[in-house]
Amino acid sequence: MSQTVFINANLFVGDQDNLQSDSYILINDETGKIEEVGTARPPKADKTVDLSNKYVMPGLINCHTHIINDPLTADGDSKASAVVATVRAVDHLHDLLRSGVTYIRECGSTFEIDIELNELIKAGKLTRVPEILPSGHPFSMTGGHGDGPNFGILVDSPDEMRKAVRQEIKKGARAIKVMATGGVMTENDALDQPQLSEAEIRVAVEEAHHKGYVVAAHAEGNPGIMNAIKAGVDSIEHGFYVNDEEIDLMLEKGTYLTPTVVGAWAFMEYAPGKIPDWEMAKISAAWKDLRGNITKAKNAGVPITLGTDAGTPFNDFTMTPQELPLLVEQGFTNFEALQTSLNCAKLMKIDDEYGTLAAGKYADFLVLDENPLADIHAVVQVDKAVYKKGKRAY
């Protein structure tokens, strides 16, 4: 059995608001798992890596991506063929890992590309990429958000939803995505228009939960956010207009909130004059409200996850770390911002092996020049070292 020990690290284990200086991490090279973490004299190993003056933290987990999208288009280019979308998705997976993201939940793919890529990753045929929790196609109502070429599966009753979800799970979906409201990128609906009904969403939740899988709801306005929470979804995605009543119910039900702030920020920063006026008007209106609403939810105790909606306009696959400074700008502490990645692991039910650096977990970690607990911008470092299962990927 071969082992590698990393020594002299300033270690942020992921769930404690402090650094452990002069730490070591002992890794089993065959399994890619951590065998020991400590601050005493490091054990002998086959290989030693000295991390003096460096800061180590868990790899980031992004629970809302669209790897098949082209972020340089106004609509993600969902019309692309399966071949084009697949090549694009692989490139985007490499970008994600290079930026520090070691695990993703894909929240809607064309042609079930995420399911196929997940199988290749598990078989060891696709490397130097994050792990994927795949969702396959999202579920939308006819004419709703997601009713686009090759993208949403259209359902218009609880019975249609039940069969469609069962079919997608059979194909390999391990998370389910439903569209509870209109969205920014579809012209003929508004963020406050409910779409899939509470009854339809509840059936998706039943079928997913029977298998132990989680359900994410695209839900930007009201009453769609409330419909999704009542139906029992595990996470509200975006939640721009979440209100006090919904926050209370989320606390009661243990619902997570994925704010995708960087996705909205990218619109405001880069999209003016480059996308249709109707699209810009919707995100501009939401931008005025979402930051305060998200902070209110966090302050109330709603668990906030790290998800970026990567693949939406000008929101590319290197920008996950930028979500964290944006959260800090709106009132999160550095530690609270970093906790959003661990919350992803809990939401995705992978926290027994990912999310913190502890014995028995996979050695997915980042090596930084600066302390992220002191300055959250440390995570944005472009040339950070990224380790996947104990081996340097970038």
Side-chain angles (χ1 to χ4, degrees):
M1 179 184 68
S2 174
Q3 295 173 310
T4 298
V5 64
F6 293 78
I7 63 173
N8 298 322
N10 295 302
L11 181 63
F12 170 59
V13 297
D15 59 356
Q16 300 172 28
D17 191 4
N18 57 54
L19 288 177
Q20 298 176 12
S21 58
D22 298 320
S23 294
Y24 69 84
I25 308 172
L26 180 67
I27 297 169
N28 183 315
D29 294 331
E30 277 72 45
T31 65
K33 287 191 171 183
I34 298 170
E35 294 192 341
E36 291 180 30
V37 175
T39 55
R41 185 175 179 180
K44 292 183 178 180
D46 301 275
K47 292 179 286 185
T48 300
V49 180
D50 191 344
L51 296 177
S52 295
N53 302 316
K54 299 293 184 180
Y55 297 84
V56 175
M57 63 170 283
L60 297 173
I61 302 173
N62 187 331
C63 71
H64 192 133
T65 66
H66 297 284
I67 56 174
I68 43 76
N69 277 10
D70 179 357
L72 298 180
T73 64
D75 64 355
D77 189 28
S78 64
K79 300 181 292 297
S81 70
V83 172
V84 170
T86 300
V87 171
R88 179 189 293 161
V90 172
D91 284 344
H92 292 161
L93 287 171
H94 289 305
D95 286 343
L96 282 160
L97 185 60
R98 191 180 294 110
S99 76
V101 178
T102 53
Y103 213 123
I104 65 168
R105 178 180 62 170
E106 177 74 347
C107 273
S109 269
T110 55
F111 304 107
E112 284 112 9
I113 287 169
D114 59 335
I115 293 174
E116 297 290 339
L117 292 179
N118 180 51
E119 293 302 316
L120 292 172
I121 293 168
K122 290 193 297 184
K125 296 179 179 179
L126 179 59
T127 60
R128 298 180 76 197
V129 296
E131 255 86 32
I132 301 174
L133 183 66
S135 65
H137 292 286
F139 298 89
S140 174
M141 74 174 197
T142 298
H145 188 63
D147 182 355
N150 308 324
F151 195 51
I153 294 176
L154 305 183
V155 293
D156 295 301
S157 72
D159 285 344
E160 288 187 7
M161 176 70 84
R162 191 178 304 279
K163 184 169 184 178
V165 169
R166 287 176 176 177
Q167 289 175 328
E168 204 67 1
I169 288 174
K170 179 180 178 180
K171 292 176 181 178
R174 295 298 175 260
I176 296 299
K177 171 75 175 297
V178 297
M179 302 298 199
T181 71
V184 172
M185 294 171 62
T186 41
E187 183 173 6
N188 296 315
D189 59 31
L191 307 191
D192 61 355
Q193 291 177 352
Q195 296 200 346
L196 289 173
S197 69
E198 181 185 336
E200 290 165 336
I201 298 170
R202 181 174 287 111
V203 167
V205 171
E206 286 177 3
E207 292 301 322
H209 285 183
H210 287 166
K211 291 287 189 178
Y213 305 149
V214 298
V215 179
H218 165 99
E220 296 182 341
N222 306 298
I225 295 174
M226 180 60 82
N227 288 344
I229 300 168
K230 286 181 176 179
V233 302
D234 299 283
S235 65
I236 296 294
E237 306 299 302
H238 316 299
F240 297 156
Y241 294 102
V242 66
N243 61 33
D244 291 345
E245 183 182 7
E246 290 157 350
I247 288 171
D248 289 342
L249 190 58
M250 292 177 80
L251 291 169
E252 179 184 325
K253 288 181 169 287
T255 314
Y256 290 77
L257 176 60
T258 310
T260 64
V261 178
V262 74
W265 174 85
F267 267 105
M268 302 304 298
E269 191 76 8
Y270 302 114
K274 300 175 184 176
I275 62 172
D277 290 344
W278 58 262
E279 192 172 355
M280 197 68 218
K282 285 196 278 188
I283 194 62
S284 297
W287 183 245
K288 297 176 182 177
D289 293 284
L290 71 92
R291 290 164 291 174
N293 293 337
I294 298 306
T295 302
K296 182 186 293 186
K298 182 269 296 184
N299 290 341
V302 173
I304 308 298
T305 48
L306 175 59
T308 63
D309 210 9
T312 53
F314 307 99
N315 177 15
D316 71 30
F317 294 84
T318 68
M319 292 172 66
T320 302
Q322 186 60 45
E323 178 86 355
L324 304 182
L326 289 168
L327 293 174
V328 170
E329 285 177 16
Q330 65 183 63
F332 286 55
T333 67
N334 292 348
F335 179 64
E336 287 172 336
L338 291 164
Q339 287 291 281
T340 60
S341 183
L342 175 55
N343 286 341
C344 288
K346 294 174 180 177
L347 166 64
M348 294 160 58
K349 300 183 180 181
I350 58 171
D351 55 307
D352 58 335
E353 294 185 312
Y354 298 90
T356 59
L357 299 176
K361 297 196 176 187
Y362 283 108
D364 289 3
F365 59 90
L366 314 180
V367 180
L368 310 175
D369 291 340
E370 304 295 336
N371 177 4
L373 287 172
D375 181 359
I376 197 63
H377 291 89
V379 186
V380 186
Q381 180 183 331
V382 174
D383 59 348
K384 65 176 74 72
V386 181
Y387 285 82
K388 194 83 184 75
K389 296 183 178 177
K391 296 178 173 59
R392 184 163 181 175
Y394 290 102

